[in-house]
Amino acid sequence: MVETARNTRQRRAVGAILDDLDGFASAQEIHDILVRRGDKVGLSTVYRNLQYLVDAAEVDSLRGDDGEVLYRRCSAGHHHHLVCRDCGRTVEVEGPAVEKWADRVAAEHGFSDVAHTLEVFGTCSECGA
Amino acid sequence: MVETARNTRQRRAVGAILDDLDGFASAQEIHDILVRRGDKVGLSTVYRNLQYLVDAAEVDSLRGDDGEVLYRRCSAGHHHHLVCRDCGRTVEVEGPAVEKWADRVAAEHGFSDVAHTLEVFGTCSECGA
DNA sequence: TCTTTGATGAGAATCATTCCCATGAAGGTC
DNA sequence: GACCTTCATGGGAATGATTCTCATCAAAGA
Ligand SMILES: [Mn+2]
Ligand SMILES: [Mn+2]
Ligand SMILES: [Zn+2]
Ligand SMILES: [Zn+2]
């Protein structure tokens, strides 16, 4: 028998919230939504399941200004994010020119095993009214 | 009388450590160095002075993988960093193309007040041997 | 139904950072 | 130098997100 993650009520509940969300949200925000809905899920369990999903590359995470980790279900493949710092609404964006720039700069200075982090923050049109 | 920051022994000590450092270091690492040297400076004071320097744009800060904030005295003007994930050695880099890309992408989606974070991590030539 | 074992959750623990506030010491004035 | 005003310091408490512990629960298969 192949090991398989158990399909618990709590795991489904966390997944359902992520499906409904537009933008990034913190573990505690997701927990609050669950509590408000009446779904009883422990905070530890929310953290645990979010981490499972990150490890499975089903969810992207990034750190907000205040250091809180934010989560969002994203499409597969390398991309970056344009995030509204007020409402969290997020657009996935690609930047081939940026990828090339990062690799070139790293090579010029003799760096190998290169990776990069890039996020764009702003105020979305709705929040800017 | 114009308000002016007081030139304390502790402030000079923190500044001296930053002058000697090549790469990014955490507040606690800087505090440890001070203690090892025999300079008596409180941890709160290290945090406070680092924050003063960040506000004065004399020091750049970024968040490491583990969420710790790292500090480094940097040149003025907008730039990014190529950081060795082994030894911390850091190269300041500029990417005009990246700046334009970020602004354009944000504008295309109606975002205002745009800012971005971009760091490149790798293994430097010395550490890659 | 029964067994096995990963999953859950309430609270404790961790850890970086910030806050509090009594005390210290810059730096100006005479 | 003596004195004053006020910002700076530092030790410990508080904060807050996240992780850990472990007794208990419940998937999933037999
Ligand atoms: Mn990229
Ligand atoms: Mn830039
Ligand atoms: Zn918004
Ligand atoms: Zn290195």
Side-chain angles (χ1 to χ4, degrees):
Chain A
M1 281 297 94
V2 175
E3 293 288 318
T4 185
R6 290 183 182 177
N7 177 29
T8 65
R9 171 180 63 78
Q10 292 88 340
R11 185 162 298 168
R12 287 192 301 273
V14 171
I17 300 298
L18 288 167
D19 288 338
D20 288 350
L21 281 177
D22 233 22
F24 281 86
S26 71
Q28 315 223 29
E29 282 169 350
I30 291 169
H31 181 248
D32 285 347
I33 295 171
L34 286 166
V35 169
R36 234 175 288 132
R37 270 196 182 188
D39 282 335
K40 297 189 202 322
V41 181
L43 180 57
S44 300
T45 299
V46 173
Y47 274 106
R48 209 166 14 223
N49 281 302
L50 286 171
Q51 196 52 57
Y52 289 154
L53 291 167
V54 168
D55 292 344
E58 287 186 43
V59 161
D60 277 0
S61 70
L62 61 83
R63 225 173 256 279
D65 273 349
D66 56 359
E68 237 185 345
V69 178
L70 306 176
Y71 304 86
R72 177 176 185 269
R73 197 185 284 285
C74 278
S75 61
H78 182 78
H79 61 268
H80 298 279
H81 304 106
L82 173 58
V83 185
C84 175
R85 61 169 74 83
D86 290 332
C87 69
R89 184 172 292 111
T90 297
V91 181
E92 295 184 21
V93 291
E94 287 178 32
V98 176
E99 312 299 325
K100 284 183 204 118
W101 171 85
D103 289 343
R104 180 173 54 74
V105 169
E108 278 173 4
H109 291 90
F111 280 58
S112 54
D113 279 323
V114 182
H116 60 267
T117 64
L118 168 59
E119 311 292 346
V120 184
F121 297 95
T123 305
C124 79
S125 50
E126 285 192 32
C127 291
Chain B
M1 282 300 93
V2 174
E3 294 288 320
T4 186
R6 289 183 182 176
N7 178 29
T8 65
R9 172 181 63 77
Q10 292 88 340
R11 185 162 299 169
R12 287 191 302 273
V14 171
I17 300 297
L18 288 168
D19 288 338
D20 288 350
L21 282 177
D22 234 22
F24 282 86
S26 71
Q28 314 223 28
E29 282 169 349
I30 290 169
H31 181 249
D32 285 346
I33 295 172
L34 287 166
V35 169
R36 235 176 286 134
R37 270 197 184 187
D39 281 336
K40 297 187 202 323
V41 181
L43 180 58
S44 300
T45 300
V46 173
Y47 274 106
R48 208 165 17 223
N49 280 303
L50 286 171
Q51 196 52 57
Y52 289 153
L53 291 167
V54 167
D55 291 345
E58 287 186 43
V59 161
D60 277 359
S61 69
L62 60 84
R63 223 174 258 276
D65 273 349
D66 57 358
E68 237 185 347
V69 178
L70 306 176
Y71 304 86
R72 177 176 184 270
R73 195 185 284 287
C74 280
S75 60
H78 182 78
H79 62 268
H80 298 278
H81 304 106
L82 173 59
V83 185
C84 175
R85 61 169 75 84
D86 290 331
C87 69
R89 178 171 153 243
T90 298
V91 181
E92 295 183 21
V93 291
E94 287 178 31
V98 177
E99 312 299 325
K100 283 181 205 122
W101 171 85
D103 288 345
R104 179 174 53 73
V105 167
E108 278 173 3
H109 291 90
F111 280 58
S112 54
D113 280 321
V114 183
H116 59 266
T117 64
L118 167 58
E119 312 293 345
V120 184
F121 297 95
T123 305
C124 79
S125 51
E126 284 192 32
C127 291

